[in-house]
Amino acid sequence: MPAYAQSQTEETTKKMEKPPIAEQRPYSYERHGYTISDPYHWLKDQSYPKIDDEDVLDYLKEENKWFEQNMAGQKALTDKLFKEMRARIKEDESTVPQKDGDWIYWTAFDEGAQYRKWYRKPVAGGEDQLILDENELAKDKEFFRLGALTISKDGSLMAYSSDTNGSERYTVRFRCLDDSVDLPDEVCGASGKWGDVSIEGTIGNIVFSADAKSLLYGLVNENWRVDQIFMHRLGTKQSDDVLIYKEPELGFTAGVGLTQSEKFIAISTGDNETSEVRLIPTDNPTGEQILISPRKKGREYSVEEHEGTLYILTNDDHVNFRLATASLDKPGEWETLIAGSDAFYLTDMTAFKDFYVTEGRENGLDQVEIRSYADPNKIERIAFPEASYNAGLDNNPEYEISKLRLSYESMVTPDTVYDYTLTDKALETLKVQEIPSGYDASQYTTERLTIEARDGAMVPVSLVYKNGTKLDGSAPLHLYAYGAYGYAVPPSFSTTRLSLVDRGFVYAIAHIRGGDDLGRNWYLQGKLMQRTNTFNDFVDVAKGLADKGYTSKGRISASGGSAGGELMGAVVNSDPDLWGAIVAHVPFVDVLNTMQDESLPLTPGEWPEWGNPITDKAAFEYIRSYSPYDQVSAQDYPPMLITGGLNDPRVTYWEPAKWAAKLRATKTDDNILLLKTNMGAGHGGKSGRWNRVEETAEEFAFILWQLGVTESEK
C-alpha cells in the first residue's frame, strides 16, 4: 500500500496530522549518457488520457483533503475577500451592443448568474431575442465553458461549441435562430428536419460557408492536436464530413478563420516559429486552395485581403515584422508596404473596406494607427490619455464601417470601450467598467519603471499601489509575470487586485524576457538556450524593487500560471529566501520529462520554444539545468500553494503533483506546502465567474496569511 494511503473508512473523516507523503517507486531512464531517476513517475496514469489509477486518484484526494484542512482556518478571510471582490463586479454586467449585418448583438449576465446570455435585435427595430443562455447549458454540470460561437451571414443559423469537463475537446451544436432551438429535432425555417448535426472533438474557431449550408472546423486527434480541417454539411452525420486539409508535420497544428471581408476562409497551420496560410473562397469551401507561400523554418506570417490584394504580416526580413502586399494570382511575390522597424513592433493588421488598421508597440506601449490604402504616408495614430496603458481594437465584425470600436484600460483606469469616429477623429466613450462598491482612481498611483538585470538588460515594471503606502521597504509586494511564447502581460485593470492593494500591497507586473513587451527580440532572448534570462529577470526585478524601497526581502509574494508556473518553480529553486509566499497555478515544472514525451498533446509543437532534448544533447542539458522538478534540492523553501486540473491537456495534472511530492520529500523547512487539484476541471480552473472569483479569494487569503498581513493593516 502506498505510504500516503490510509484506511478509507474511519481515517478519512479524521483530521490529518501530517501531509500525505507520496511513495517513491524506482524508475529511471537513460539519455545522452545521463541516467535520470524519477521516483514519482508513477503519478502519471499509464492509461492517460483516461485517468483511473486508484493509487493516483487516492493521492490527489489526500492532497486535496490536506489543502482543505489547512485552508479551513482561513475560511473567514476567504469569505471576506470573496464578498468584497464580488461587490466590485456589476452583477448584471453587459457588453456594448455592436452591429453586424442586419442585427445588433450583445451579451449580458443576470444578477447572481455564473454565465452569460447572448442577445440580438434587428437593426430595423424589434424585440430583443435571447439566442443562447450559457446558464441553461451549464445546468447540473460541474464544469462548462463556451468555446467558439459563430452566426451565419444571413443571421438565420448559429453554431457554438462547448466543453463540459475541462479537457478542451469541444462539441459543436447548431441552433436555428428563427426558433431559438437546437437542431436536429426542430424545423429550421423552410429547410426541413436535419439529421444528427452535433460535431464531437473540436477545438478552435468554427466558420460557416457563405450560404450557411456548411461549416469548417478543426478536429482534435487522440493526442489533442488539430491536424485535420473538415467541412460539415448541415443535415449530414459527422462521419460524412469532407476532409479539407491534412497537416503532414507532427509539430504543426491547424485552424480556421475568416478574412475581415469574409470573402475567404483562412486555413492557418504552424508551430511556435513557422507558419503557412491557405485561402479558400467562402462561397466554395471545396474549391481550389490558394497557398500564400510554402512554409520556411523560422518564418511566420498572417494574411488579410482587400479587393484582390493580399496584405501579409511577416518576420521574414525583420524581427519586428513588416507588412507586405501581393496579388491573389501571385500570392508568393511580396512587396514591402511597411518596412520592419527596430523602434516599432508591428503586431497586427486589419483590412477594412475604406482603410486599414495596424497595431503594435513602441517603447512597450500599445499603438493603434489608421492608414490609407491610397496614400501609404497618410497615418493617423490614435492618442490615448495615460503614460502607461493597454489599448487595441475591440469587436469590429463588419467590413465597411465609419466608427472603430476600441478598448482601453490601465492599472488605475477600469476597462473602457470607445468608438473612434473616423470623420471627426474623436474618441466617444461608450462604457466605463462600473464598480458597484465604489472606486476612486485618484486614490491610487501607477508607475512604470525599469530595473537593471544582471546582464545589463533594462526590464520594465508596471506598479500600482494606494496613495499613502510607505515606500520604505516595509510594504508587502506581489510580483506577477508570465514570460513565455511572446505573450506580453499588459498593464491592465483588475478589480480583484484591489483586495491586495487596499491592504497595503504594492502590486507589480514584471515585463520580463520571454514575453514580447519590448519587441520580438525581447521574446527571443527568453526562449530556447536563453530561457534562464526569464527567471533571472524576475529575480532581479524583485531584488531591484526591494533596493528601491518598494518592499523588502521576504515580504514579496509571487504568482504565475502554466509557463508562469514554471517561472515560479525556477525562482524558488534559485532564490528561496527572497519570497514570503508563492502561488503556482497549473505549473509547467516537469519540463525535461514532458519535452521527451512525444505522445503528449503539445510536446512536438513546443520543441521550437524549449528545444528538443530527445535529439539535442545541449538542449537536454540546458533544460535539465533549470527544469523546476529536476532541480528541487534539500534547502528551505517558502510557503507554497500549487494548483492543477485533472483534465488539463496543456499542463497535465501529474506535473504539479510530482513537483509537490518531490518538494515534500526533499525540502528542509516546516513552511506550508499545499496542492489543490481540480478534479473536474482543466487548465483554466473552475468555470463560472463566481467560482473563478472564489479561487482568487482563496489564493489571496493564502498570501495574506503567509505574509502575516492582518485586517488591521487594511
Side-chain angles (χ1 to χ4, degrees), residues 259-286:
T259 60
Q260 186 69 21
S261 66
E262 300 188 5
K263 292 179 182 177
F264 292 95
I265 297 168
I267 296 179
S268 302
T269 185
D271 59 13
N272 284 320
E273 65 174 8
T274 304
S275 58
E276 184 178 79
V277 180
R278 291 166 171 80
L279 296 183
I280 309 172
T282 315
D283 59 5
N284 185 19
T286 59

PDB file of all heavy atoms in Angstrom, residues 259-286:
ATOM      1  N   THR A 259     -11.181  36.139 -43.288  1.00  0.00           N
ATOM      2  CA  THR A 259     -10.656  37.473 -43.524  1.00  0.00           C
ATOM      3  C   THR A 259     -11.725  38.486 -43.108  1.00  0.00           C
ATOM      4  O   THR A 259     -12.904  38.158 -42.984  1.00  0.00           O
ATOM      5  CB  THR A 259     -10.294  37.670 -45.002  1.00  0.00           C
ATOM      6  OG1 THR A 259     -11.472  37.486 -45.806  1.00  0.00           O
ATOM      7  CG2 THR A 259      -9.215  36.686 -45.432  1.00  0.00           C
ATOM      8  N   GLN A 260     -11.325  39.742 -42.902  1.00  0.00           N
ATOM      9  CA  GLN A 260     -12.270  40.747 -42.440  1.00  0.00           C
ATOM     10  C   GLN A 260     -13.412  40.942 -43.431  1.00  0.00           C
ATOM     11  O   GLN A 260     -14.552  41.169 -43.047  1.00  0.00           O
ATOM     12  CB  GLN A 260     -11.551  42.079 -42.199  1.00  0.00           C
ATOM     13  CG  GLN A 260     -12.412  43.172 -41.587  1.00  0.00           C
ATOM     14  CD  GLN A 260     -12.803  42.879 -40.141  1.00  0.00           C
ATOM     15  OE1 GLN A 260     -12.156  42.092 -39.467  1.00  0.00           O
ATOM     16  NE2 GLN A 260     -13.858  43.525 -39.667  1.00  0.00           N
ATOM     17  N   SER A 261     -13.117  40.798 -44.720  1.00  0.00           N
ATOM     18  CA  SER A 261     -14.151  40.964 -45.746  1.00  0.00           C
ATOM     19  C   SER A 261     -15.093  39.764 -45.804  1.00  0.00           C
ATOM     20  O   SER A 261     -16.147  39.829 -46.448  1.00  0.00           O
ATOM     21  CB  SER A 261     -13.489  41.132 -47.119  1.00  0.00           C
ATOM     22  OG  SER A 261     -12.813  39.935 -47.498  1.00  0.00           O
ATOM     23  N   GLU A 262     -14.699  38.665 -45.175  1.00  0.00           N
ATOM     24  CA  GLU A 262     -15.436  37.402 -45.183  1.00  0.00           C
ATOM     25  C   GLU A 262     -15.542  36.795 -46.590  1.00  0.00           C
ATOM     26  O   GLU A 262     -16.362  35.917 -46.830  1.00  0.00           O
ATOM     27  CB  GLU A 262     -16.824  37.545 -44.548  1.00  0.00           C
ATOM     28  CG  GLU A 262     -16.764  37.989 -43.096  1.00  0.00           C
ATOM     29  CD  GLU A 262     -18.110  37.948 -42.400  1.00  0.00           C
ATOM     30  OE1 GLU A 262     -19.095  37.495 -43.007  1.00  0.00           O
ATOM     31  OE2 GLU A 262     -18.176  38.379 -41.235  1.00  0.00           O
ATOM     32  N   LYS A 263     -14.687  37.222 -47.490  1.00  0.00           N
ATOM     33  CA  LYS A 263     -14.651  36.608 -48.815  1.00  0.00           C
ATOM     34  C   LYS A 263     -13.879  35.284 -48.793  1.00  0.00           C
ATOM     35  O   LYS A 263     -14.092  34.426 -49.638  1.00  0.00           O
ATOM     36  CB  LYS A 263     -13.993  37.550 -49.822  1.00  0.00           C
ATOM     37  CG  LYS A 263     -14.803  38.799 -50.135  1.00  0.00           C
ATOM     38  CD  LYS A 263     -14.033  39.676 -51.121  1.00  0.00           C
ATOM     39  CE  LYS A 263     -14.784  40.966 -51.423  1.00  0.00           C
ATOM     40  NZ  LYS A 263     -13.993  41.858 -52.330  1.00  0.00           N
ATOM     41  N   PHE A 264     -12.965  35.172 -47.822  1.00  0.00           N
ATOM     42  CA  PHE A 264     -12.103  33.995 -47.790  1.00  0.00           C
ATOM     43  C   PHE A 264     -12.073  33.368 -46.399  1.00  0.00           C
ATOM     44  O   PHE A 264     -12.123  34.071 -45.378  1.00  0.00           O
ATOM     45  CB  PHE A 264     -10.670  34.354 -48.201  1.00  0.00           C
ATOM     46  CG  PHE A 264     -10.535  34.733 -49.645  1.00  0.00           C
ATOM     47  CD1 PHE A 264     -10.575  36.072 -50.018  1.00  0.00           C
ATOM     48  CD2 PHE A 264     -10.374  33.764 -50.626  1.00  0.00           C
ATOM     49  CE1 PHE A 264     -10.446  36.438 -51.345  1.00  0.00           C
ATOM     50  CE2 PHE A 264     -10.254  34.124 -51.955  1.00  0.00           C
ATOM     51  CZ  PHE A 264     -10.288  35.455 -52.321  1.00  0.00           C
ATOM     52  N   ILE A 265     -11.981  32.053 -46.402  1.00  0.00           N
ATOM     53  CA  ILE A 265     -11.673  31.293 -45.196  1.00  0.00           C
ATOM     54  C   ILE A 265     -10.172  31.046 -45.203  1.00  0.00           C
ATOM     55  O   ILE A 265      -9.603  30.629 -46.220  1.00  0.00           O
ATOM     56  CB  ILE A 265     -12.428  29.947 -45.186  1.00  0.00           C
ATOM     57  CG1 ILE A 265     -13.938  30.192 -45.150  1.00  0.00           C
ATOM     58  CG2 ILE A 265     -11.983  29.084 -44.004  1.00  0.00           C
ATOM     59  CD1 ILE A 265     -14.755  28.936 -45.433  1.00  0.00           C
ATOM     60  N   ALA A 266      -9.529  31.332 -44.087  1.00  0.00           N
ATOM     61  CA  ALA A 266      -8.087  31.113 -43.972  1.00  0.00           C
ATOM     62  C   ALA A 266      -7.830  29.836 -43.181  1.00  0.00           C
ATOM     63  O   ALA A 266      -8.355  29.666 -42.077  1.00  0.00           O
ATOM     64  CB  ALA A 266      -7.422  32.295 -43.287  1.00  0.00           C
ATOM     65  N   ILE A 267      -7.051  28.949 -43.759  1.00  0.00           N
ATOM     66  CA  ILE A 267      -6.550  27.781 -43.031  1.00  0.00           C
ATOM     67  C   ILE A 267      -5.097  28.086 -42.673  1.00  0.00           C
ATOM     68  O   ILE A 267      -4.238  28.198 -43.548  1.00  0.00           O
ATOM     69  CB  ILE A 267      -6.639  26.497 -43.871  1.00  0.00           C
ATOM     70  CG1 ILE A 267      -8.101  26.164 -44.181  1.00  0.00           C
ATOM     71  CG2 ILE A 267      -5.980  25.336 -43.141  1.00  0.00           C
ATOM     72  CD1 ILE A 267      -8.278  24.925 -45.032  1.00  0.00           C
ATOM     73  N   SER A 268      -4.859  28.256 -41.392  1.00  0.00           N
ATOM     74  CA  SER A 268      -3.514  28.585 -40.915  1.00  0.00           C
ATOM     75  C   SER A 268      -2.944  27.392 -40.178  1.00  0.00           C
ATOM     76  O   SER A 268      -3.639  26.748 -39.383  1.00  0.00           O
ATOM     77  CB  SER A 268      -3.556  29.799 -39.981  1.00  0.00           C
ATOM     78  OG  SER A 268      -4.119  30.919 -40.636  1.00  0.00           O
ATOM     79  N   THR A 269      -1.703  27.104 -40.430  1.00  0.00           N
ATOM     80  CA  THR A 269      -1.044  25.989 -39.758  1.00  0.00           C
ATOM     81  C   THR A 269       0.354  26.420 -39.373  1.00  0.00           C
ATOM     82  O   THR A 269       0.964  27.267 -40.023  1.00  0.00           O
ATOM     83  CB  THR A 269      -1.025  24.736 -40.658  1.00  0.00           C
ATOM     84  OG1 THR A 269      -0.489  23.630 -39.938  1.00  0.00           O
ATOM     85  CG2 THR A 269      -0.208  24.965 -41.909  1.00  0.00           C
ATOM     86  N   GLY A 270       0.856  25.852 -38.253  1.00  0.00           N
ATOM     87  CA  GLY A 270       2.193  26.237 -37.832  1.00  0.00           C
ATOM     88  C   GLY A 270       2.552  25.686 -36.471  1.00  0.00           C
ATOM     89  O   GLY A 270       1.749  25.017 -35.814  1.00  0.00           O
ATOM     90  N   ASP A 271       3.799  25.956 -36.057  1.00  0.00           N
ATOM     91  CA  ASP A 271       4.233  25.677 -34.700  1.00  0.00           C
ATOM     92  C   ASP A 271       4.614  27.009 -34.068  1.00  0.00           C
ATOM     93  O   ASP A 271       4.107  28.048 -34.474  1.00  0.00           O
ATOM     94  CB  ASP A 271       5.372  24.648 -34.682  1.00  0.00           C
ATOM     95  CG  ASP A 271       6.607  25.096 -35.468  1.00  0.00           C
ATOM     96  OD1 ASP A 271       6.696  26.292 -35.831  1.00  0.00           O
ATOM     97  OD2 ASP A 271       7.486  24.246 -35.708  1.00  0.00           O
ATOM     98  N   ASN A 272       5.528  27.014 -33.128  1.00  0.00           N
ATOM     99  CA  ASN A 272       5.847  28.251 -32.420  1.00  0.00           C
ATOM    100  C   ASN A 272       6.842  29.154 -33.141  1.00  0.00           C
ATOM    101  O   ASN A 272       7.209  30.205 -32.611  1.00  0.00           O
ATOM    102  CB  ASN A 272       6.371  27.928 -31.017  1.00  0.00           C
ATOM    103  CG  ASN A 272       5.251  27.524 -30.079  1.00  0.00           C
ATOM    104  OD1 ASN A 272       4.170  28.105 -30.104  1.00  0.00           O
ATOM    105  ND2 ASN A 272       5.489  26.521 -29.258  1.00  0.00           N
ATOM    106  N   GLU A 273       7.274  28.758 -34.359  1.00  0.00           N
ATOM    107  CA  GLU A 273       8.203  29.635 -35.063  1.00  0.00           C
ATOM    108  C   GLU A 273       7.992  29.668 -36.576  1.00  0.00           C
ATOM    109  O   GLU A 273       8.630  30.459 -37.267  1.00  0.00           O
ATOM    110  CB  GLU A 273       9.647  29.211 -34.780  1.00  0.00           C
ATOM    111  CG  GLU A 273      10.020  27.847 -35.321  1.00  0.00           C
ATOM    112  CD  GLU A 273      11.498  27.521 -35.153  1.00  0.00           C
ATOM    113  OE1 GLU A 273      12.211  28.301 -34.475  1.00  0.00           O
ATOM    114  OE2 GLU A 273      11.951  26.502 -35.702  1.00  0.00           O
ATOM    115  N   THR A 274       7.108  28.838 -37.088  1.00  0.00           N
ATOM    116  CA  THR A 274       6.908  28.743 -38.535  1.00  0.00           C
ATOM    117  C   THR A 274       5.420  28.659 -38.834  1.00  0.00           C
ATOM    118  O   THR A 274       4.678  27.985 -38.108  1.00  0.00           O
ATOM    119  CB  THR A 274       7.610  27.484 -39.097  1.00  0.00           C
ATOM    120  OG1 THR A 274       8.990  27.518 -38.737  1.00  0.00           O
ATOM    121  CG2 THR A 274       7.471  27.402 -40.605  1.00  0.00           C
ATOM    122  N   SER A 275       4.974  29.324 -39.893  1.00  0.00           N
ATOM    123  CA  SER A 275       3.552  29.287 -40.238  1.00  0.00           C
ATOM    124  C   SER A 275       3.364  29.197 -41.746  1.00  0.00           C
ATOM    125  O   SER A 275       4.275  29.459 -42.531  1.00  0.00           O
ATOM    126  CB  SER A 275       2.818  30.517 -39.684  1.00  0.00           C
ATOM    127  OG  SER A 275       3.387  31.716 -40.157  1.00  0.00           O
ATOM    128  N   GLU A 276       2.128  28.835 -42.115  1.00  0.00           N
ATOM    129  CA  GLU A 276       1.750  28.683 -43.519  1.00  0.00           C
ATOM    130  C   GLU A 276       0.254  28.924 -43.619  1.00  0.00           C
ATOM    131  O   GLU A 276      -0.507  28.481 -42.751  1.00  0.00           O
ATOM    132  CB  GLU A 276       2.107  27.273 -43.993  1.00  0.00           C
ATOM    133  CG  GLU A 276       1.863  26.993 -45.458  1.00  0.00           C
ATOM    134  CD  GLU A 276       2.302  25.575 -45.816  1.00  0.00           C
ATOM    135  OE1 GLU A 276       1.540  24.634 -45.526  1.00  0.00           O
ATOM    136  OE2 GLU A 276       3.408  25.416 -46.360  1.00  0.00           O
ATOM    137  N   VAL A 277      -0.195  29.627 -44.656  1.00  0.00           N
ATOM    138  CA  VAL A 277      -1.604  30.011 -44.786  1.00  0.00           C
ATOM    139  C   VAL A 277      -2.129  29.654 -46.171  1.00  0.00           C
ATOM    140  O   VAL A 277      -1.443  29.867 -47.181  1.00  0.00           O
ATOM    141  CB  VAL A 277      -1.807  31.522 -44.531  1.00  0.00           C
ATOM    142  CG1 VAL A 277      -3.282  31.906 -44.670  1.00  0.00           C
ATOM    143  CG2 VAL A 277      -1.288  31.918 -43.146  1.00  0.00           C
ATOM    144  N   ARG A 278      -3.355  29.135 -46.196  1.00  0.00           N
ATOM    145  CA  ARG A 278      -4.099  28.898 -47.434  1.00  0.00           C
ATOM    146  C   ARG A 278      -5.417  29.648 -47.347  1.00  0.00           C
ATOM    147  O   ARG A 278      -6.025  29.716 -46.266  1.00  0.00           O
ATOM    148  CB  ARG A 278      -4.367  27.403 -47.626  1.00  0.00           C
ATOM    149  CG  ARG A 278      -3.139  26.585 -47.936  1.00  0.00           C
ATOM    150  CD  ARG A 278      -3.396  25.099 -47.770  1.00  0.00           C
ATOM    151  NE  ARG A 278      -2.279  24.300 -48.262  1.00  0.00           N
ATOM    152  CZ  ARG A 278      -1.149  24.088 -47.573  1.00  0.00           C
ATOM    153  NH1 ARG A 278      -1.028  24.603 -46.357  1.00  0.00           N
ATOM    154  NH2 ARG A 278      -0.172  23.364 -48.092  1.00  0.00           N
ATOM    155  N   LEU A 279      -5.872  30.177 -48.467  1.00  0.00           N
ATOM    156  CA  LEU A 279      -7.175  30.831 -48.540  1.00  0.00           C
ATOM    157  C   LEU A 279      -8.115  30.004 -49.397  1.00  0.00           C
ATOM    158  O   LEU A 279      -7.717  29.460 -50.432  1.00  0.00           O
ATOM    159  CB  LEU A 279      -7.056  32.238 -49.120  1.00  0.00           C
ATOM    160  CG  LEU A 279      -6.243  33.261 -48.323  1.00  0.00           C
ATOM    161  CD1 LEU A 279      -6.292  34.617 -49.016  1.00  0.00           C
ATOM    162  CD2 LEU A 279      -6.728  33.385 -46.880  1.00  0.00           C
ATOM    163  N   ILE A 280      -9.375  29.941 -48.965  1.00  0.00           N
ATOM    164  CA  ILE A 280     -10.428  29.246 -49.700  1.00  0.00           C
ATOM    165  C   ILE A 280     -11.597  30.206 -49.859  1.00  0.00           C
ATOM    166  O   ILE A 280     -11.992  30.857 -48.889  1.00  0.00           O
ATOM    167  CB  ILE A 280     -10.919  27.996 -48.934  1.00  0.00           C
ATOM    168  CG1 ILE A 280      -9.748  27.110 -48.512  1.00  0.00           C
ATOM    169  CG2 ILE A 280     -11.911  27.209 -49.768  1.00  0.00           C
ATOM    170  CD1 ILE A 280     -10.167  25.977 -47.594  1.00  0.00           C
ATOM    171  N   PRO A 281     -12.192  30.314 -51.019  1.00  0.00           N
ATOM    172  CA  PRO A 281     -13.369  31.185 -51.163  1.00  0.00           C
ATOM    173  C   PRO A 281     -14.491  30.737 -50.220  1.00  0.00           C
ATOM    174  O   PRO A 281     -14.809  29.545 -50.150  1.00  0.00           O
ATOM    175  CB  PRO A 281     -13.768  31.003 -52.630  1.00  0.00           C
ATOM    176  CG  PRO A 281     -12.529  30.519 -53.317  1.00  0.00           C
ATOM    177  CD  PRO A 281     -11.802  29.692 -52.303  1.00  0.00           C
ATOM    178  N   THR A 282     -15.069  31.667 -49.511  1.00  0.00           N
ATOM    179  CA  THR A 282     -16.142  31.340 -48.575  1.00  0.00           C
ATOM    180  C   THR A 282     -17.352  30.763 -49.295  1.00  0.00           C
ATOM    181  O   THR A 282     -18.109  29.983 -48.710  1.00  0.00           O
ATOM    182  CB  THR A 282     -16.557  32.603 -47.788  1.00  0.00           C
ATOM    183  OG1 THR A 282     -15.385  33.287 -47.352  1.00  0.00           O
ATOM    184  CG2 THR A 282     -17.393  32.246 -46.568  1.00  0.00           C
ATOM    185  N   ASP A 283     -17.532  31.142 -50.554  1.00  0.00           N
ATOM    186  CA  ASP A 283     -18.680  30.629 -51.299  1.00  0.00           C
ATOM    187  C   ASP A 283     -18.380  29.309 -52.015  1.00  0.00           C
ATOM    188  O   ASP A 283     -19.232  28.780 -52.722  1.00  0.00           O
ATOM    189  CB  ASP A 283     -19.190  31.674 -52.303  1.00  0.00           C
ATOM    190  CG  ASP A 283     -18.128  32.085 -53.317  1.00  0.00           C
ATOM    191  OD1 ASP A 283     -17.021  31.490 -53.305  1.00  0.00           O
ATOM    192  OD2 ASP A 283     -18.397  33.002 -54.111  1.00  0.00           O
ATOM    193  N   ASN A 284     -17.166  28.778 -51.802  1.00  0.00           N
ATOM    194  CA  ASN A 284     -16.812  27.497 -52.427  1.00  0.00           C
ATOM    195  C   ASN A 284     -15.738  26.799 -51.582  1.00  0.00           C
ATOM    196  O   ASN A 284     -14.579  26.687 -51.997  1.00  0.00           O
ATOM    197  CB  ASN A 284     -16.312  27.716 -53.857  1.00  0.00           C
ATOM    198  CG  ASN A 284     -16.054  26.403 -54.578  1.00  0.00           C
ATOM    199  OD1 ASN A 284     -16.547  25.344 -54.180  1.00  0.00           O
ATOM    200  ND2 ASN A 284     -15.258  26.466 -55.644  1.00  0.00           N
ATOM    201  N   PRO A 285     -16.111  26.295 -50.390  1.00  0.00           N
ATOM    202  CA  PRO A 285     -15.111  25.746 -49.463  1.00  0.00           C
ATOM    203  C   PRO A 285     -14.349  24.537 -49.986  1.00  0.00           C
ATOM    204  O   PRO A 285     -13.258  24.243 -49.495  1.00  0.00           O
ATOM    205  CB  PRO A 285     -15.947  25.363 -48.233  1.00  0.00           C
ATOM    206  CG  PRO A 285     -17.187  26.168 -48.341  1.00  0.00           C
ATOM    207  CD  PRO A 285     -17.456  26.325 -49.791  1.00  0.00           C
ATOM    208  N   THR A 286     -14.917  23.827 -50.947  1.00  0.00           N
ATOM    209  CA  THR A 286     -14.200  22.688 -51.516  1.00  0.00           C
ATOM    210  C   THR A 286     -13.435  23.065 -52.782  1.00  0.00           C
ATOM    211  O   THR A 286     -12.886  22.195 -53.460  1.00  0.00           O
ATOM    212  CB  THR A 286     -15.175  21.532 -51.836  1.00  0.00           C
ATOM    213  OG1 THR A 286     -16.168  21.996 -52.754  1.00  0.00           O
ATOM    214  CG2 THR A 286     -15.839  21.013 -50.578  1.00  0.00           C
TER     215      THR A 286
END
